[in-house]
Amino acid sequence: MNPSAPDPGQRPGLVGWALGLPLAAILLVVFVLVPIGFAFFLGKAAYDWLDARSWQPVEAVIESADLRRERDADHNAVLQVKAVYRYRWNGVEYRSDRVDLHHGADNIGDDHQRMYDRLAAALAAGAPVTAWVDPDNPAAAVLDRDMRRGQFALLLLFPLLFGGAGALIFTQGRQHRYEQRQRARFRRTYPDQPWRWDTRWRTAELHSRGRPKMWQAIGFAVFWNAISAPVLFLVPKEIAGGNWPALAALVFPLAGLGLAVWALRKVVQHRRYGDSVLVLDSLPVPLGGLLRATLTIPARLAVREVTVQLACMHKQTTGSGKQRRTTERLLWEDRHRFMTRPGPGQTSVRIEMNLPAGQPASSEDDPNDRIVWRLEAFGEEKGIDYRAEFELPVFDSGAAPNPAAGLAAVNRPKRQYGADDWRETGVEHGYVAGGQRFYFPRFRVTGTGLGTLLFALVFLGAGIGLTMGTGQWVFGVVFVSFGLLILWAALTMLFSLSEIVAGGGRLRWRHGLFGGWRDIEAGAIERIGVKRSGSIGRNLYFRIEIKRWGNRRESTIADWVPNERATRSLVLKLGQLIGLDADSV
């Protein structure tokens, strides 16, 4: 006998059996058979309700009524009305214990409680109630022939969720397999041209894919609202029972309302602007060269300028299952404003932007570890703003760079900065005694600052609760300390300002929450530099620092300044105003 062979008299457990099934069989059960099963019960309930529309009313006498309270498998309280009544049909007396068209106990809404109250009152008063009798089978009768909305909605929820998810998985899987086959074929055909491997980049004409994103927003909003809908039936009952903390569950339908508004905005946006088209002058876009393209919008824009952001991002997906997490790290970004050119029923924009040579090329080989070059165009319109997004094929094609293209803003000679590029930082500019004034006010990163502040308050509240409420002062001190650090970061984002006055061979500045005025002569400055402060969403922010001769430490004179190209242009402007040597900026 083979000692490793399983005992034929021993059956594997349910988990072992499930793990032994192929993935296709599990998906078949979960996303096909489960929706079919619930659809069957839903159809049966609808058929019974429609059939009961033809039943006839008779007077019935209640003999007994009871409201049974039980516990389900999750130890939740469920209710069921039990009653016995008698009635006469065509001179024959019948007795029935069927209360409604549904079976079993549940805790959906307060239908059981209301039905019991009505039957108990009739029993106590000796008053008759109305029963509904099937003329074709007089022994079949119910006291309530209406469809319970809560139960119907719950039955409808499962086939929609599982069936919709199954359809989405099937279509997405089929599309993924098709794209993988196409990618493998193109890779064999063009081994030295990786931009041809992706079906999106077969031609120089790129589409913004606004319609798929619109349907994704609709699908996610429907999915979330379908999941959270039962909360609207359960919370009122819990509140009536004095369970006020149950109000916290309303955050899920409120989030669903926000998602519904978001999806509606996507619909309106797509109907108004359609899918934009970006036609590249060269395929691929040369890394370290110049992006030249024409953006065509199938709608007339009112704005005269469109802002275009070009960003290089490292997109990583780690973990699996519930631990699966996707992060995007911004490596480089630049933005410009371009004039719009209206046409018959459309708007076109001519785009020319430099790309840095020091960033990685587009990478699509590993779906969990990608380099994405993303171009986003947006304009502030009345009502819904215009926005379109494209993924660009940016590769080192091996061709000699175009001399007219120059280098990227971060690498090109300082004299090539536009005369007014520094204005794109959003700085307030003016003239004062002693030179020109550059002012960055408070509340420039309000959204992130408020979010960080809320995060800090959560940690502080948890720390105070652990210390004062439970006496766990060690964990409390840790939470409070961490919360104070986050609080300082939030206050810095919200209330920090920067003000610089440059001219007459001197630089004066004040920076931070409580920073006073400081000044320095141009001859004492070794260098004015730019360093990265951090990223918020798809935007990079920078700080401006000065380094004195004979001092290793830098002094920050401005922080959270957007747009590296514009920030470096501002540094060049400051250097020119105080007469600093060009090599020192």
Side-chain angles (χ1 to χ4, degrees):
M1 176 181 293
N2 184 358
S4 63
D7 185 355
Q10 193 176 32
R11 295 183 178 181
L14 180 60
V15 175
W17 173 79
L19 292 176
L21 286 175
L23 179 60
I26 296 176
L27 294 178
L28 175 67
V29 171
V30 174
F31 295 111
V32 178
L33 298 184
V34 169
I36 290 176
F38 277 102
F40 171 78
F41 287 113
L42 180 66
K44 179 65 168 57
Y47 174 81
D48 291 342
W49 175 71
L50 291 173
D51 184 55
R53 296 297 89 192
S54 62
W55 292 11
Q56 300 300 312
V58 297
E59 286 190 352
V61 177
I62 303 297
E63 295 182 351
S64 65
D66 184 27
L67 182 62
R68 296 188 178 180
R69 302 177 184 271
E70 303 173 357
R71 295 283 178 179
D72 61 11
D74 296 326
H75 303 288
N76 297 317
V78 293
L79 303 177
Q80 183 178 16
V81 178
K82 292 289 187 178
V84 177
Y85 56 94
R86 65 179 185 273
Y87 59 93
R88 299 185 69 85
W89 178 264
N90 291 336
V92 180
E93 186 172 273
Y94 295 89
R95 180 177 279 103
S96 176
D97 61 357
R98 189 178 181 188
V99 176
D100 54 26
L101 297 173
H102 309 280
H103 302 279
D106 60 67
N107 56 3
I108 305 173
D110 60 348
D111 299 271
H112 289 288
Q113 184 67 53
R114 289 190 292 107
M115 173 61 74
Y116 170 73
D117 293 342
R118 183 167 71 90
L119 298 182
L123 177 62
V129 296
T130 300
W132 300 90
V133 180
D134 182 359
D136 298 329
N137 182 18
V142 293
L143 297 176
D144 184 5
R145 65 173 182 172
D146 291 332
M147 172 72 74
R148 291 178 56 198
R149 297 179 181 178
Q151 193 173 51
F152 183 82
L154 189 62
L155 285 173
L156 181 62
L157 173 66
F158 285 96
L160 285 178
L161 289 181
F162 285 93
L168 180 63
I169 291 174
F170 175 77
T171 55
Q172 292 289 338
R174 185 175 181 181
Q175 179 67 21
H176 177 71
R177 289 192 297 272
Y178 170 77
E179 291 178 355
Q180 289 296 100
R181 290 195 298 267
Q182 290 288 89
R183 185 178 181 85
R185 182 167 66 87
F186 292 144
R187 190 165 188 164
R188 292 190 299 268
T189 307
Y190 308 103
D192 299 326
Q193 302 177 27
W195 57 91
R196 292 180 176 268
W197 302 348
D198 198 303
T199 55
R200 298 171 300 170
W201 300 332
R202 292 291 295 155
T203 67
E205 187 175 286
L206 310 181
H207 295 262
S208 63
R209 296 177 59 83
R211 182 183 295 273
K213 291 186 177 181
M214 176 190 70
W215 284 112
Q216 289 174 5
I218 293 174
F220 189 68
V222 170
F223 180 81
W224 183 276
N225 281 282
I227 290 178
S228 60
V231 172
L232 298 175
F233 296 97
L234 299 177
V235 168
K237 180 181 177 182
E238 295 295 325
I239 297 301
N243 183 16
W244 290 102
L247 281 171
L250 291 178
V251 69
F252 296 101
L254 286 176
L257 179 62
L259 289 172
V261 173
W262 169 61
L264 179 61
R265 289 179 63 86
K266 285 290 185 182
V267 172
V268 175
Q269 186 180 58
H270 183 264
R271 288 179 61 87
R272 182 172 176 179
Y273 303 113
D275 282 335
S276 299
V277 178
L278 184 72
V279 180
L280 305 174
D281 285 12
S282 62
L283 186 68
V285 179
L287 187 63
L290 185 67
L291 164 66
R292 286 193 174 101
T294 300
L295 174 66
T296 302
I297 307 161
R300 292 290 295 268
L301 298 187
V303 294
R304 295 184 177 182
E305 288 185 331
V306 169
T307 301
V308 176
Q309 182 197 40
L310 181 61
C312 177
M313 313 186 74
H314 185 195
K315 190 172 183 179
Q316 282 184 305
T317 301
T318 57
S320 60
K322 294 182 179 180
Q323 303 300 321
R324 189 175 180 85
R325 182 168 175 263
T326 299
T327 58
E328 289 186 350
R329 185 166 64 93
L330 193 59
L331 303 178
W332 175 89
E333 67 94 21
D334 191 14
R335 60 180 62 200
H336 287 269
R337 291 192 297 269
F338 297 98
M339 297 294 296
T340 60
R341 295 183 291 184
Q346 67 179 25
T347 303
S348 62
V349 180
R350 183 60 183 171
I351 298 172
E352 291 191 1
M353 296 182 69
N354 289 290
L355 279 75
Q359 297 298 334
S362 300
S363 173
E364 299 287 331
D365 289 339
D366 185 355
N368 295 325
D369 192 356
R370 304 170 56 210
I371 296 296
V372 177
W373 283 85
R374 183 174 291 152
L375 184 144
E376 189 171 2
F378 44 92
E380 295 183 358
E381 290 280 309
K382 185 177 181 180
I384 302 294
D385 293 339
Y386 166 73
R387 186 176 295 271
E389 186 179 289
F390 306 87
E391 285 194 18
L392 303 182
V394 177
F395 292 91
D396 185 359
S397 60
N402 186 345
L407 297 176
V410 293
N411 296 321
R412 63 186 177 178
K414 300 178 181 62
R415 63 179 181 274
Q416 292 189 14
Y417 286 115
D420 292 329
D421 282 3
W422 55 269
R423 296 185 184 275
E424 297 181 25
T425 61
V427 66
E428 297 179 10
H429 175 253
Y431 294 87
V432 296
Q436 297 187 31
R437 174 180 178 264
F438 302 86
Y439 180 62
F440 293 97
R442 296 182 172 92
F443 303 107
R444 286 176 290 122
V445 283
T446 306
T448 304
L450 291 176
T452 307
L453 178 62
L454 179 61
F455 193 55
L457 294 177
V458 170
F459 268 86
L460 288 173
I464 294 173
L466 287 170
T467 303
M468 303 181 63
T470 64
Q472 300 181 21
W473 62 270
V474 175
F475 289 102
V477 168
V478 172
F479 271 75
V480 169
S481 300
F482 190 59
L484 289 174
L485 290 175
I486 303 175
L487 179 62
W488 176 254
L491 294 177
T492 301
M493 289 183 184
L494 290 172
F495 299 106
S496 180
L497 62 80
S498 301
E499 186 173 6
I500 306 169
V501 176
R506 300 186 68 86
L507 191 69
R508 299 178 63 237
W509 76 92
R510 61 186 180 117
H511 168 71
L513 290 176
F514 313 107
W517 282 99
R518 303 173 64 184
D519 66 346
I520 187 174
E521 294 183 357
I525 298 176
E526 178 184 352
R527 179 176 53 84
I528 303 180
V530 175
K531 290 186 179 180
R532 182 182 296 188
S533 295
S535 62
I536 300 176
R538 297 180 182 177
N539 299 317
L540 284 177
Y541 291 85
F542 302 87
R543 64 178 181 269
I544 302 175
E545 297 179 337
I546 60 172
K547 186 176 183 300
R548 305 169 186 263
W549 288 104
N551 193 335
R552 294 183 178 181
R553 295 183 59 185
E554 289 91 1
S555 299
T556 300
I557 63 175
D559 204 354
W560 295 104
V561 183
N563 195 327
E564 184 176 7
R565 172 182 49 81
T567 304
R568 293 185 180 276
S569 174
L570 178 58
V571 167
L572 182 62
K573 176 76 173 179
L574 295 175
Q576 292 172 345
L577 289 175
I578 64 175
L580 200 62
D581 185 86
D583 294 332
S584 300
V585 294

